[in-house]
Every structure is written in structure tokens, then in C-alpha cells.
Amino acid sequence: MRTIEKKAGNPLLSIYFTAGYPELGSTVRIAKKLEEAGADFLEIGFPYSDPVADGPVIQHSSQVALENGMTLKRLFEELRELRQHVHIPVFLMGYVNPVLQFGMDNFCAECKNVGVDGVIIPDLPMYEYEELYKETFEKNGIANIFIVTPQTSTERIKKIDSLSRSFIYLLSANATTGKTLDVGEDTHAYFKRIHDLQLKSPLIVGFGISDKATFQKASTYTAGAIIGTAFVKKLKEQDYMDQIPDFIKSIKD
């Protein structure tokens, strides 16, 4: 498993995009271009028909991807060549329903086969993971990424940290994706509270990060941040592949 480690003085940038959007066959090409442009790790979303935690941009990308014919089976076929081209950590993100339809054992085995390092399944309850799936994940060397929100108790956060094998996904707020990050006093206090727990797992912030300013603010108390909606918007452009280097440069430089 490739690890998420903060570089001295440089916050980590993760990019999210939806597999099968804007077209089938683009997943590995986009991932390769993102690595070349300087992304530190990637989250590849597998589409679902009812993405309740996502804002309109990512919901639309999911809908288009499904209409294009993207499925978990198709995604794993595309990812067969992933590790010939991409060397940074890669995580899959999506909802539990399609995973259970595919079969959790099959899903974890396929993740291992194609070189995926971990998965983010926000609607997989922690107790279900512990009781039913933890052994399968660990046997295949797949990290399960847990999510912390402003309402998560300190006790639960420490439990999450003990179960984590990679990073902890820190939601900037209780909202859908695509909202602008508002780092006011409450958010600063929330980030600082988690930071001060001195957890063993790196903290990565998601939701509301869209540009250099919000990326730097979000990374003040964390190892880095994830950009999703702002990048998925770029994939609407006809020359989206050519725009990737400038997009990453605008965040990191």
C-alpha cells in the first residue's frame, strides 16, 4: 500500500474525478496527466444513481458516466493498466450499494489486483466495517478511509484513528460537495480541535476546496486537501486534458 505522507512545508493535493466522465476510457489518461502535473494522490469516483452527498456538478458527472456505461466491472477493466502509468496513491470513492452488488470480497480483490490503495465509502457504517469486512480489507491490503465531520465526537475520532491504515477524511462542514469553503472562527476551531488530538493518521480536508486560497487555508492544520467539484467542472471543456497542468499549477504554485 502506498502511504500518504506530508512533505515538509508542502501540503498534499488530492484530486477527485468521476470514472467514465466525460467519456469511457478516460480514467487512466486523466490520472496519468494529473500525476505528471503534480497531484500527490487521487480519488476516482465510481458513479451511483443516487449520490446524496454530492452537489450538482458531481451528481451530473455521475449521471453522464452511468449513461456512458460506466460500472464497477468496467472501471476495474480500465484500471488494469493503471500501474503501468500512475505511481502515486489512488483511492476509489463511492457508495456502498454498488459495492455490495459487486460483492465486497470481489471488490477488495479487484482493488488489490489493479493497484488501488484504499477506498472511501461514506455510507458504510464503521461497525459494519469492523464486524463484517475489516478482515477482507486487510487481507487485500486495502485501506478503508473514514470520514470525520464537525459533529464527530472525540471518542469516535480516536476510534477511527485506531482503525485507520491511511489518512482520515476531514469534512470541512456538513454540506454537499461543491460548496465554497468558509474558514471562519468555527471552522478554524474545528480543524484545530482535531489537530490537537495528535492523531497518528494524516488529516486530509475535503468539501469546499476550489482554488489556491481555500487549499492553503484548509491545509493550515492538516496534511493537505482534496479538490473535486472545481476539477470536474474543467472536464466539461473540449480540451480538458490540455487544461490539467495549468489547473494543478494554479493550486500548488
Side-chain angles (χ1 to χ4, degrees):
M1 186 194 304
R2 294 152 198 84
T3 56
I4 303 297
E5 293 177 3
K6 184 173 181 179
K7 303 166 187 173
N10 295 315
L12 299 171
L13 172 62
S14 177
I15 300 292
Y16 168 94
F17 65 99
T18 306
Y21 180 81
E23 56 200 337
L24 287 178
S26 61
T27 306
V28 174
R29 285 191 295 116
I30 293 171
K32 182 179 183 223
K33 196 80 167 179
L34 283 166
E35 177 175 16
E36 289 171 351
D40 296 295
F41 64 103
L42 306 176
E43 292 173 24
I44 300 174
F46 49 92
Y48 179 50
S49 55
D50 188 24
V52 291
D54 295 314
V57 171
I58 291 178
Q59 281 192 9
H60 173 72
S61 71
S62 263
Q63 183 185 343
V64 171
L66 290 170
E67 289 168 359
N68 287 343
M70 179 51 71
T71 61
L72 270 178
K73 182 174 183 291
R74 171 71 195 233
L75 175 57
F76 285 125
E77 286 169 3
E78 288 196 17
L79 294 179
R80 294 264 178 268
E81 60 171 314
L82 175 72
R83 290 305 174 191
Q84 296 171 36
H85 307 285
V86 178
H87 311 288
I88 55 177
V90 172
F91 298 82
L92 297 188
M93 184 170 189
Y95 295 84
V96 74
N97 191 283
V99 174
L100 294 179
Q101 288 179 6
F102 192 80
M104 191 65 82
D105 286 354
N106 292 338
F107 178 75
C108 289
E110 285 286 12
C111 285
K112 178 183 179 181
N113 289 342
V114 300
V116 164
D117 299 288
V119 298
I120 305 157
I121 308 175
D123 57 341
L124 174 62
M126 184 165 66
Y127 72 89
E128 275 192 30
Y129 167 74
E130 267 196 287
E131 292 179 14
L132 301 176
Y133 307 123
K134 182 172 180 279
E135 190 178 325
T136 302
F137 273 72
E138 292 184 349
K139 178 181 71 179
N140 288 285
I142 306 301
N144 183 35
I145 308 303
F146 296 95
I147 290 178
V148 166
T149 76
Q151 277 65 50
T152 307
S153 69
T154 297
E155 182 185 9
R156 183 177 170 87
I157 292 168
K158 288 182 175 177
K159 171 80 180 227
I160 283 171
D161 191 40
S162 73
L163 287 172
S164 293
R165 298 291 175 266
S166 185
F167 67 94
I168 293 174
Y169 195 127
L170 192 62
L171 286 196
S172 60
N174 281 332
T176 56
T177 56
K179 304 292 184 187
T180 302
L181 179 69
D182 176 20
V183 188
E185 283 186 23
D186 288 349
T187 309
H188 263 302
Y190 159 53
F191 287 171
K192 187 174 187 307
R193 174 173 74 90
I194 310 296
H195 174 267
D196 288 350
L197 292 175
Q198 297 293 300
L199 305 174
K200 68 176 176 59
S201 309
L203 299 170
I204 304 290
V205 184
F207 284 39
I209 324 299
S210 59
D211 54 22
K212 184 173 183 174
T214 49
F215 175 64
Q216 288 180 334
K217 281 181 184 177
S219 303
T220 304
Y221 292 107
T222 67
I226 300 152
I227 293 181
T229 297
F231 179 71
V232 172
K233 281 180 180 174
K234 289 286 178 191
L235 299 180
K236 286 183 175 180
E237 307 294 330
Q238 201 158 9
D239 58 344
Y240 66 87
M241 289 294 288
D242 295 335
Q243 294 197 37
I244 290 174
D246 284 343
F247 180 82
I248 299 298
K249 192 171 191 250
S250 74
I251 308 294
K252 292 193 85 174
D253 286 3

